[in-house]
């Protein structure tokens, strides 16, 4: 990448996102976390967030060439999409395929934390033919520059968020604070020129230094850059030298990288307190939106959640939710929480108090907090044209989470065979396969796996082909009667006269630990019923293990 | 109706009146069945080599009704196994807590593609779980096993969930519902094995007989029985 002046420009490009008003440290951290989807290098400033967007370009396409330019264009587009909640390319009808995959989400939930004016809409609208702009950007060798010409001035946009892209982070930040434009792109190698017109105050100079320099006739950064750093240092000390280097856009230390919290938390204080009701879900949804966006920036999904609801009178309700599948988006998380929160909407101890004294109004919600207790890598499916696999996997994950929340996690499973003769140990509960692996080739035919499972112990090869009833009781039921044709047998679930008995299928083993020595019989009854009977050879008692239904 | 009016007339003996009635119905082509035709095993059941469950269209609810150990669960699970072999997913909502996955594996099912929900012994929970799965539309077949006696409203909810999502549901239970909501209803009765065993150890395959009915067929002559070999 070479600047018009022929100088080698730095390999990094920094975007500074300035929310417009003084945001809280928590809101900035949330923004930084979400912007990690664009670049792994995100840094926090007291008034905004830096995103290094040049490194990814170098990684994906090198520092030159058409692909790098296209990638850079895409990154800037995504940044705009993220901070403004809209995508200028998509608004103009440009195919996403032309620009690569553009995420469809914005940071609207986070924008509310910046106290933007209500009803503010995506602030960037490109004028003219955007496709031509893209082509032009390819010709000019750098994709971001044409944006700065096309973006309308601030008066024509509702959002106060500003984004400035420059070579150096400090340049980007200074320009964002000083220039009223939703997007400003400083061309590569032109940081010093961009800063030249800024007043000294914009560089962060102290009032004393500004007054002194103005006495010398230095009023803008460009004039300051022309001075010798050592000469200014002799007069203004270290501050003077730093100001000159800043005005010259000389390399400065990279800001410290932002490290997101291990367990992100979103909290909302409610003033006035919220009466109990389904409106609670609106509050929780906002928190889930924020958390899912922040985690998506790091490629993470939610595995375990804790929701803490604080009511008037110091009453607290904590709901912990262990998800069978990591979830990445807010709607399925909300669907799961709805099962827990809506019924009952009031915590049990509060409900009891209401029963005691119906004249007391129910306590109101004062604070809601959602904490991600555990995260997991977001499930990724191979990209397909229609993304159907991702959609189905997400639908199944949501369904499993809701079922587990109501039935219990241990009651939602898929079976998995275990190489063991003992019926109760011949399978275990496993997770359902979410990914599509069907290619016409059956990789793990369960029947074969079952046969193999029996073969591995090498004890009873024929057991693999032995019939097994579809219903097996967790605890066998005692059977009264003899196993002889013509005899009547009776158990707690039924009775019948035996017509045929097949067996025994003898299972014996594990003499060194927990020995078992059993005979299994298949017993036909009059009328066509068939049961599976087990006899412990030591006790000789008969029990019904299962029913062929 | 006609029988009552003839009996009241007292002009002809009851036996002759019944004979007349039978003759009139025979002439009009109305099939006549004895009262015990529906419960007595039909020795002439036609063999059926293809499960009628394959014909259950998307967006519908089927029902398999039969006494214990009749083979109704095996029939449903065989369809589950067939679908998973084709690469589709199926769900089994088990209200008995006794479903045995190795039996499914012996039917050739791919267990990793079968969602099993142990709904406990509560019919309400089992129905709720089945409704959720049906509504999701991501499973090719949802089988609800032994939910007990269900109110018509529960079946109606399942039917609507299947219709809305275009998925297929199957309720397996002992007692039939008075309201014929299911699009396909199979009545299953066990039959003794036909083959005599060659070995004293290996039990021969089981058989059952099916009577296939459908919604809208109420009042029509009962369908004939068909015989099916169970896996």
């Amino acid at each position: 990448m070479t600047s018009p002046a022929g100088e080698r420009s730095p390999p990094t490009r920094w975007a500074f996102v300035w929310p417009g008003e003084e945001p809280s440290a928590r809101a900035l951290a949330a923004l930084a976390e979400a912007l990690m989807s664009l670049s792994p290098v995100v840094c926090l400033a007291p008034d905004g967030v830096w995103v290094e967007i040049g490194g990814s370009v170098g990684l994906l396409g090198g520092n030159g060439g058409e692909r790098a330019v296209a990638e850079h264009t895409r990154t800037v587009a995504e940044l705009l999409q993220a901070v403004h909640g809209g995508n200028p390319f998509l608004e103009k009808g440009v195919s996403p395929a032309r620009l690569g995959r553009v995420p469809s989400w914005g940071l609207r939930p986070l924008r509310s934390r910046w106290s933007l004016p209500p009803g503010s809409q995506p602030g960037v609208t490109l004028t003219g033919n955007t496709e031509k702009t893209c082509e032009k950007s390819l010709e000019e060798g750098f994709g971001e520059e044409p944006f700065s010409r096309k973006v309308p001035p601030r008066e024509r946009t509702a959002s106060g968020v500003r984004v400035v892209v420059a070579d150096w982070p400090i340049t980007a930040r200074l320009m964002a604070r000083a220039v009223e434009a939703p997007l400003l792109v400083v061309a590569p190698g032109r940081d010093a020129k961009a800063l030249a017109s800024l007043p000294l105050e914009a560089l962060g100079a102290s009032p004393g230094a500004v007054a002194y320099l103005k006495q010398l006739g230095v009023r803008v950064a460009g004039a300051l850059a022309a001075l010798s750093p050592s000469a200014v240092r002799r007069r203004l000390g270290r501050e003077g030298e730093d100001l000159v280097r800043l005005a010259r856009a000389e390399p400065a230390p990279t800001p410290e990288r932002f490290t997101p919290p291990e367990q992100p938390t979103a909290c909302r204080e409610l003033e006035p307190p919220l009466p109990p009701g389904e409106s609670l879900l609106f509050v929780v949804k906002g928190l889930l939106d924020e958390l899912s966006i922040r985690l998506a920036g790091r490629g993470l999904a939610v595995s375990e959640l804790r929701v803490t609801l604080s009511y008037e009178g110091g009453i607290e309700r904590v709901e912990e939710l262990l998800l069978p599948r990591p979830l990445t988006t807010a709607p399925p998380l909300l669907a799961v929480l709805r099962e827990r929160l809506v019924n009952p909407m009031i915590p049990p101890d509060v409900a009891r108090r209401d029963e005691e004294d119906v004249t007391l109004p129910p306590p109101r919600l004062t604070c809601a907090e959602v904490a991600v207790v555990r995260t997991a890598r977001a499930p990724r499916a191979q990209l397909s044209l229609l993304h159907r696999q991702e959609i189905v996997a997400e639908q199944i994950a949501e369904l499993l989470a809701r079922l587990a929340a109501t039935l219990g996690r241990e009651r939602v499973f898929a079976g998995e065979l275990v190489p063991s003769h003992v019926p109760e140990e011949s399978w275990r509960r496993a997770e359902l396969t979410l990914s599509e692996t069907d290619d016409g080739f059956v990789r793990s035919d369960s029947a074969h796996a079952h046969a193999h499972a029996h073969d591995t112990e090498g004890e009873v090869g024929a057991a693999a082909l032995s019939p097994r009833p579809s219903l097996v009781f967790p605890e066998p039921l005692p059977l009264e009667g003899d196993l002889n044709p013509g005899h009547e047998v009776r158990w707690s679930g039924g009775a019948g006269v035996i017509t045929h008995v097949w067996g025994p299928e003898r299972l014996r083993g594990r003499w060194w630990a927990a020995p078992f020595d059993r005979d299994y019989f298949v017993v036909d009854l009059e009328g066509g019923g068939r049961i599976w009977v087990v006899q412990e050879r030591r006790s000789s008692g008969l029990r019904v293990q299962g029913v062929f239904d | 109706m006609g029988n009552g009016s003839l009996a009241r007339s007292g002009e002809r003996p009851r036996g002759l009146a019944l004979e007349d009635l039978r003759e009139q119905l025979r002439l009009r082509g109305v099939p006549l069945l004895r009262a015990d035709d529906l419960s007595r095993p039909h020795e002439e059941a036609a063999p059926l080599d293809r499960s009628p469950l394959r014909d259950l269209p998307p967006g519908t609810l089927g029902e398999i009704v039969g006494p214990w150990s009749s083979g109704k669960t095996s029939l449903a699970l065989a369809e589950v196994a067939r679908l998973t072999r084709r690469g589709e997913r199926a769900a089994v909502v088990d209200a008995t807590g006794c479903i045995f996955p190795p039996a499914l594996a012996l039917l050739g099912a791919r267990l990793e593609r079968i969602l099993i929900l142990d709904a406990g012994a509560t019919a309400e929970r089992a129905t709720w779980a089945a409704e959720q799965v049906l509504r999701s539309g991501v499973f090719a077949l949802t089988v609800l096993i032994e939910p007990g006696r269900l109110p018509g409203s529960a079946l109606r909810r399942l039917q609507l969930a299947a219709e809305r999502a275009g998925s297929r549901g199957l309720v397996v239970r002992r007692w039939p519902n008075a309201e014929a909501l299911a699009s396909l209803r199979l009545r299953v009765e066990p039959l003794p094995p036909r083959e005599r065993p060659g070995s004293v150890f290996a039990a021969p395959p089981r058989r059952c007989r099916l009577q296939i009915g459908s919604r809208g067929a109420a009042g029509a002559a009962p369908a004939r029985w068909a015989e099916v070999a169970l896996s």
Side-chain angles (χ1 to χ4, degrees), chain A residues 402 413 446 472 500 530 548-549, chain B residues 69 73-74 109 116 132 196:
Chain A
R402 279 193 292 118
F413 58 93
S446 298
V472 169
H500 290 94
R530 179 176 281 186
F548 292 83
D549 189 21
Chain B
S69 193
T73 307
S74 296
I116 301 176
Q132 301 304 310
R196 288 299 94 189

Side-chain angles (χ1 to χ4, degrees), chain A residues 344-391:
Chain A
M345 191 62 68
I346 306 172
D349 48 348
V350 177
R352 274 199 300 276
R353 204 182 78 180
D354 290 347
E355 287 167 9
E356 289 165 6
D357 187 355
V358 292
T359 58
L360 281 177
R364 296 174 299 174
L365 188 70
T366 55
C367 180
E369 182 189 88
V370 180
V372 177
V373 180
R374 203 168 49 166
T375 57
R377 300 302 306 171
R380 283 172 177 269
Q382 189 172 352
L383 292 179
S384 62
L385 185 63
L386 301 175
H387 303 290
R388 169 150 177 80
Q389 293 171 8
E390 293 173 52
I391 294 168

Side-chain angles (χ1 to χ4, degrees), chain A residues 40 107 110 117 125 132 146 180 212 216 260 282 305 316 319 336 346-347 393 446-447 480 484 509 530 534:
Chain A
L107 294 186
L110 297 180
T125 47
K132 278 188 178 174
E180 289 191 0
Y212 181 79
L216 298 177
F282 288 98
L305 267 183
E316 204 169 70
E319 288 285 347
V336 175
I346 306 172
S446 298
E480 295 174 12
N484 291 313
R530 179 176 281 186
V534 61

Side-chain angles (χ1 to χ4, degrees), chain A residues 339 392 395-396 399-400 402-403 406-407 411-415 417 423 426-427 429 432-436 438 442 444 446-447 450 464 466 468-474 491 500 502-504 522 524-525 527-531 547-549, chain B residues 67-74 77 87 89 96-103 105-106 108-120 125 128-129 132-133 136 138-139 146 190-193 196-197 199-204 206:
Chain A
E339 307 286 344
V392 170
Q395 285 175 332
I396 293 179
L399 174 69
L400 295 184
R402 279 193 292 118
L403 292 168
T406 302
L407 300 177
R411 291 177 179 268
V412 180
F413 58 93
L417 295 177
S426 61
W427 69 281
R429 300 182 177 204
L432 187 75
T433 302
L434 283 188
S435 60
E436 297 283 344
D438 305 312
V442 181
S444 58
S446 298
H450 189 257
S466 301
R468 291 288 181 264
S470 50
L471 302 177
V472 169
F473 304 124
W491 68 99
H500 290 94
W502 286 279
V522 175
D524 273 2
L525 304 174
R530 179 176 281 186
I531 56 177
V547 174
F548 292 83
D549 189 21
Chain B
W68 76 274
S69 193
S70 57
K72 58 186 183 299
T73 307
S74 296
L77 297 186
R89 291 190 184 88
T96 66
C98 297
I99 200 78
F100 193 52
L106 281 173
R110 294 176 62 182
L111 292 184
E112 72 277 8
R113 303 191 72 84
I114 302 174
L115 171 67
I116 301 176
L117 300 175
D118 180 0
R125 272 194 165 191
W128 174 85
Q132 301 304 310
V133 179
S136 73
V138 289
F139 289 88
E146 293 286 8
L191 289 176
R196 288 299 94 189
S199 161
V200 294
F201 296 106
R206 304 172 65 215

